[in-house]
Amino acid sequence: MIRLNDITTQILSYHPKADLNLVEKAYVYSAKVHQGQVRLSGEPYLSHPLEVAFTLARMKMDVISVVAGLLHDTLEDTNAQLPDIERLFGREAANIVNGVTKISKIQFTNHEERQAENIRKMILAMATDIRVIMVKLADRLHNMKTLGFQSPEKQNTISRETLEIYAPLAGRLGIYWVKSMLEDLCLYYLEPEIYEKIKTETAQRRGAREKYIRDVKVLLDKKFRESGIQATIKGRQKHLYSIYQKMKDQNLTVNQVYDNLALRVIVDSVKQCYEILGLIHAMWKPIPGKFTDYISLPKANMYQSLHTKVVGPMGQRMEVQIRTWQMDKVAEEGIAAHWKYKEGEVASKTDESQFSWLRRLLEWQKDLHDPKEFLDTVRMDLFQNEVYVFTPKGEVKEFPKGATPVDFAYSIHTDIGNKCTGARVKGKLVPLRYQLNNGDIVEIITSNKQHPSKDWLDFVKTPRAKTKIRHWVKEQERDQSVELGKDILERALAKFGIRFSNILKSEEMLSISKDLSLHSLEDLFANIGYGKLSANQIVGRLTSKMGMDEEKPLGIVDKVVSRMKRKKPPHGIKVTGLDDILVRFANCCHPLPGEPVIGYITHGRGVTIHKQDCRHIADSDPDRLVEITWDPPKEDVYLSHLKVTTVDKKGILADMSAIIAQKNANIVQADVRTTTDKKGICQFSLEVEDYKQLQDIIGALKKLRDVLFVERI
Ligand code: MN
């Protein structure tokens, strides 16, 4: 079992001035809270955080990371609380422990290959501090080493997850020794027979291989000395998993994987790298297409080297890597190597990888000398613009930050998006505007009554959702325009006594739409509705095709209008001839109920109601004006009876009738008789809307000179 002393000694080896008090304190705390817990191996639980902390020290991480390694399981497995950790060990350590705990809680149930990259990105996005990933990798490494104590099912699941998610993450961060160890452990659990075979066969060849490397080294040393270059030559065995991969990819047996040995030449300068390359290519035949210059084009994780393959002295294929000591350090330690650069080599501008933050790190740390200060600046801004969420089936989906359930719904299917009314996230209902968080499990709720709204465009983030919503809105407007166009045309036709239904599918209409290069009658109506075509224009073409005289409107307008009036009034007002149409009041003249108004058919946005004397209406297309009456219409009138006593005089009835008509009341019945004393008695039955109207009428009648009395009866 690793002891505290092993960890502190390791830290001091690369960071002699490290303050180890916090490490000791974390050790004591971790021992206390994990007390009594045991691993499946039977070892005290504390052995695990100690191993993790030691691995972090081997990765040459800073003190805070090692502290976080000691504490990484305390939130999940003990009574320790986040505020305790923060109070005792500071905010940074607490954040790292919290980050590791969060990642550990995520269940990766879907292991399709295409999902792996998204899961890796999600982990990176969830870690606000790169050290969270380092602790997680160290944690996973020890769990893999002790995987033998788990059930076969768990061995399989954890190994697959490690192979798909964590080993590539280690590679991406450039910590190849962790990547190789993880991969070999995974191979051991996933393909035990192949693992044993490769291991045995490479071991059998160890003697031959070592002799071969010695021979090659002698040849190279001699050559390098002649050229005056000082170089260190290392021979190494490729790790088992990479041999396995090669066997699988190229369908080879272990013994056919010739280049399972590789040579590494390390020199002082970049210039010497290329000189060495020239020397090697002169000695042995290079294999075409196998040279890669990672010096001028570094890998995303800053890895630099020259890679080449040659046919070696005994006809064996051999891989050679050439690099400087600095490059070697980066290759061995990965991101940790950047912690302590003294004079960083600025990366090439051609590297357009998503790891541009690493480049920035290199540039920053020219001004930073303290590793602590450097680490403070290492905040993960990688993938900060993305958010990763799960479907209920465990599939990971990537969205731009700020994306909503609507974006999620459209990413599944257009119909789901169109009918999305909300979502359930971790079991809780959230509104459409909810912003998705990393790791959310999102379940969309739909309703057949729902449909997209223009407002959604204000908050959706994905181009797909935007396009789909716009498309839907446009379709709706088109449908509305088709209806409007039909109505406008119908009214225009009515003026000429042409019944719309009679000509709707006539050859004349079809030929008109053909003449106008329109695909269908629907298009024609839509164009009228949008205002691109005028109805009169169509009527003109039609009448001329039908051989009619368009100057002679027939007198059945009233008939048509009366038919239209039977349609239901929408929204408290009546729009003549237009059924169930969107109505809104104009902002220019603010008509009040009861005022004389007129409707204007807009392009795709329904009917706007203006005052009849509104100046905007004066200049507008008369074809688009519709008659508007207020609801409640005339049916809601009340019968009222008046008795008017007058001087008996010719014409008095006509005068009274005119006044009543002026006041917009309808005379249902009128009885007139003359008395013997030369007075006239008139009894009216009137339809009035309200009391006020009646009072107006009474007042007006009384003002007539010959009227003596007016009374209600
Ligand atoms: Mn752990």
Side-chain angles (χ1 to χ4, degrees), residues 257-284:
V257 183
Y258 292 124
D259 50 2
N260 64 13
L261 54 107
L263 225 54
R264 189 170 293 155
V265 183
I266 306 168
V267 291
D268 292 327
S269 71
V270 173
K271 183 170 160 276
Q272 287 174 342
C273 291
Y274 290 98
E275 285 170 3
I276 295 281
L277 180 76
L279 290 174
I280 289 174
H281 281 182
M283 283 169 78
W284 297 306

Side-chain angles (χ1 to χ4, degrees), residues 655-656 658-660 662-663 693-705 707 710:
D655 289 348
M656 288 192 289
I659 282 174
I660 291 166
Q662 249 175 40
K663 298 293 178 190
Q693 192 188 11
L694 186 65
Q695 289 303 309
D696 281 356
I697 293 167
I698 292 171
L701 289 173
K702 277 181 177 171
K703 279 185 191 152
L704 284 176
R705 199 203 297 182
V707 169
V710 183

Side-chain angles (χ1 to χ4, degrees), residues 39 45 48-49 52 72-73 77 100 104 136 139-140 143:
R39 300 270 291 174
Y45 197 91
H48 171 62
V52 170
H72 81 273
D73 273 335
D77 297 339
V100 175
S104 305
K136 187 65 203 168
D139 177 41
R140 181 50 59 107
N143 286 337

